Amino acid sequence: MTRLRPPFPSRAVAVAVSLAAAGLVRAETTFFQARIAPILDRHCVSCHGPEKQKAKLRLDSFDAVMRGAESGVMVKPGDPRGSELFRRITLPASDEEVMPTDGKPLLSRDEIRNIELWIAGGASSSKVVSDFPGAPPLRRFKAAEPAWAPDWRSRAAEIAALEERFHVRLVPRSQVPTDGLVLRTASSPGRCDDAVLAGLAPIASLIVEAELARTPITDVGVAALAGWENLRSMDLTRTSVTAAGLAALAGSKSLEVVNLTDTSVDDAGVAPLRALPALRRLWVHGTKVSPGASGGG
Ligand code: HEC
């Protein structure tokens, strides 16, 4: 990797650190740790981290970000526009290459601005927050943000037992324990059926995303999901879901993203979803939903 800046910390950091060592003030956290890592953690690490490494890219540490992907460097210090990572997060939602993929919520303008300033400022690991006076504070300040789900940590043993029993994965969405769990079935989708969804009921309130593409679940299972009170996103790609199952979701206050790609649903079938108060994205590619009515993607 090319370094455009000397690899030693700025004088400001050195002072902060020595005062901290003397017990006088807390060391000022770096801009990367305070602003960039939380953004990547929340939006990217589920696919580019310890669990999955899409495009052989990890974004869960400074070194990993700078190492880049199989295809090369993703961040060019000093050059946001020339950085593939920046290009991907600034594409329109309808672009196939936009990150994050799969209908996950895109980065906010302020999040994008923080990443832009960080890259423009040399993609530094040592610059501190006060080095970026123009960086907008992030609205989703961790401490103040309402929990997405109850803290899962006290239920860890129960969660592990359910994973083992049902051959699914229940993966924390981020390092924040109240960000909930992602139900993953992709390693063996054929095993996740309606009975499995029923069996997960005791911990359903912890699950915020359900990845159910290509599973044999039916409308019965989809109706069960209606009771998962904190579920924000469900992927029903290539399942046998019909209008009857979707109708059961009509009361959901939490659902933001529903992916119905390659299912047989039609305009009438998705009508109840369009009325959901929290819905942000509906994916209807490869369905009978008429293009004019779609608004998805
Ligand atoms: C749901 C999974 C998922 C999430 C979340 C996700 N990505 Fe990706 N990412 C992929 C996949 C799959 C690819 C490979 C296909 C492609 O290049 O579009 C990829 C590719 C990339 C690439 C291109 C790698 C290359 O070799 O050119 C970059 C850069 C990238 N992602 C950045 C991000 C960033 C930044 C975030 C968070 C804002 C993010 N991704 C979130 C799945 C994801």
Side-chain angles (χ1 to χ4, degrees), residues 185-198:
T185 62
S187 57
S188 58
R191 297 172 105 152
C192 184
D193 56 14
D194 294 343
V196 170
L197 294 183

Side-chain angles (χ1 to χ4, degrees), residues 31 81 129 171 228 273 291:
F31 189 73
R81 313 270 143 198
V129 176
V171 183
W228 296 20
L273 295 183

